[in-house]
Amino acid sequence: DRVDWRVALDLEIIDDVRLYAQVATGFKGGGVNPRPYLAQQLVPFDQETATSYEIGVKSLLFDRRLRANAAYYRTDYEGYQGLVSSCPDISPPGFPFCSATRNVGDAEIDGFEVELEFNPFEALAIDGSVSYTDFGFVSGLVGSGIVPGVTEATFVPEWKYAIGAQYGISVGNAGSLTPRLDWSWQSAMQSNIPNNTAGFLLGEVDARGLLNARLTFRTTDENWEFSLAATNVTDKFYYVNKYDRVSQSG
């Protein structure tokens, strides 16, 4: 029975340069802890609500050869849903194990992102992006181990960037070949709450950079396109998640 809303404004200040701003609300439904170790950890959690703000600019420059977009965003959360590994309020005294989804506290996000796409001539395209996200808790559920201003949100890297390039090569009457390379990088992130306090550091997922490649053949009439793609071509080993059981067991 919740109603959400969004208001957006935009203004083209000069040809192909547009400013915009928006405010919106949203929510994530509640539920029941899906991973109880004991019956008493089978507890419900409420919905998470958010209000988001964004301002930015979108532009096409230099005879539309350069696309440049930038945005600043902020989101205020109430009742943020997080997975905690410490929940003494719903566990027997001295029982260390917990993996519960709870409304862990209120939080706020501040960040920005920049996107560029450059086509110096028809066959060559270069694109890139960079983003920064500062996610902080302003309050924490008692017993969860959240320290406002210190504990990080899970699976939210602070920095991310990507760059890619492709070049179209004519192969006569048959069509064209377009090789492409993409490099993406993200900083370290946490996968457990608590984190970033003494004794709770084993859930940190290291920073990683990955290289992907693609080769595309396109027929002259552009009715058909075939691609061969490879992900992580440098065969880098990396973690996507870590679960800290050591800190739980003391």
Side-chain angles (χ1 to χ4, degrees):
D1 60 356
R2 177 181 168 88
V3 176
D4 284 295
W5 52 268
R6 173 178 176 267
V7 176
L9 302 172
D10 64 82
L11 174 66
E12 189 171 37
I13 53 175
I14 59 175
D15 288 346
D16 293 330
V17 177
R18 184 174 295 273
L19 301 178
Y20 73 91
Q22 69 173 24
V23 182
T25 65
F27 82 104
K28 184 190 295 184
V32 177
N33 173 24
R35 296 187 63 187
Y37 284 93
L38 303 171
Q40 68 190 81
Q41 292 182 353
L42 187 64
V43 295
F45 54 91
D46 293 329
Q47 69 177 6
E48 167 190 301
T49 61
T51 303
S52 64
Y53 310 86
E54 183 175 343
I55 58 173
V57 58
K58 297 182 181 294
S59 64
L60 290 169
L61 307 172
F62 306 115
D63 197 25
R64 297 196 166 195
R65 294 187 181 276
L66 175 65
R67 180 190 303 274
N69 301 330
Y72 163 80
Y73 51 85
R74 177 185 175 88
T75 304
D76 294 325
Y77 288 96
E78 293 185 3
Y80 183 81
Q81 296 173 5
L83 181 68
V84 298
S85 56
S86 176
C87 53
D89 60 319
I90 58 172
S91 303
F95 186 80
F97 300 114
C98 178
S99 180
T101 300
R102 311 286 305 275
N103 298 102
V104 296
D106 298 336
E108 59 187 23
I109 285 179
D110 282 288
F112 69 85
E113 59 184 2
V114 178
E115 301 174 324
L116 299 173
E117 181 180 337
F118 184 43
N119 300 96
F121 46 91
E122 185 176 355
L124 179 62
I126 303 169
D127 55 82
S129 63
V130 61
S131 66
Y132 171 78
T133 302
D134 180 16
F135 192 127
F137 288 100
V138 296
S139 66
L141 178 69
V142 175
S144 66
I146 289 178
V147 180
V150 176
T151 301
E152 298 181 17
T154 55
F155 305 108
V156 182
E158 191 173 47
W159 286 97
K160 298 178 74 174
Y161 73 82
I163 187 169
Q166 66 182 48
Y167 186 80
I169 304 169
S170 174
V171 288
N173 295 329
S176 65
L177 281 174
T178 304
R180 179 178 177 85
L181 290 174
D182 288 282
W183 171 262
S184 61
W185 182 88
Q186 66 180 46
S187 59
M189 63 183 180
Q190 302 296 327
S191 58
N192 290 266
I193 294 175
N195 57 59
N196 277 2
T197 56
F200 293 98
L201 297 174
L202 298 179
E204 183 171 281
V205 177
D206 295 333
R208 66 172 182 260
L210 301 176
L211 180 65
N212 300 327
R214 177 181 293 268
L215 181 64
T216 301
F217 172 76
R218 185 177 293 109
T219 59
T220 302
D221 57 16
E222 298 188 349
N223 288 335
W224 291 91
E225 181 179 293
F226 306 90
S227 295
L228 177 66
T231 59
N232 192 15
V233 296
T234 60
D235 197 28
K236 179 178 178 59
F237 177 85
Y238 63 95
Y239 289 95
V240 296
N241 188 8
K242 292 181 180 179
Y243 188 63
D244 182 3
R245 289 287 296 274
V246 175
S247 296
Q248 283 190 5
S249 59

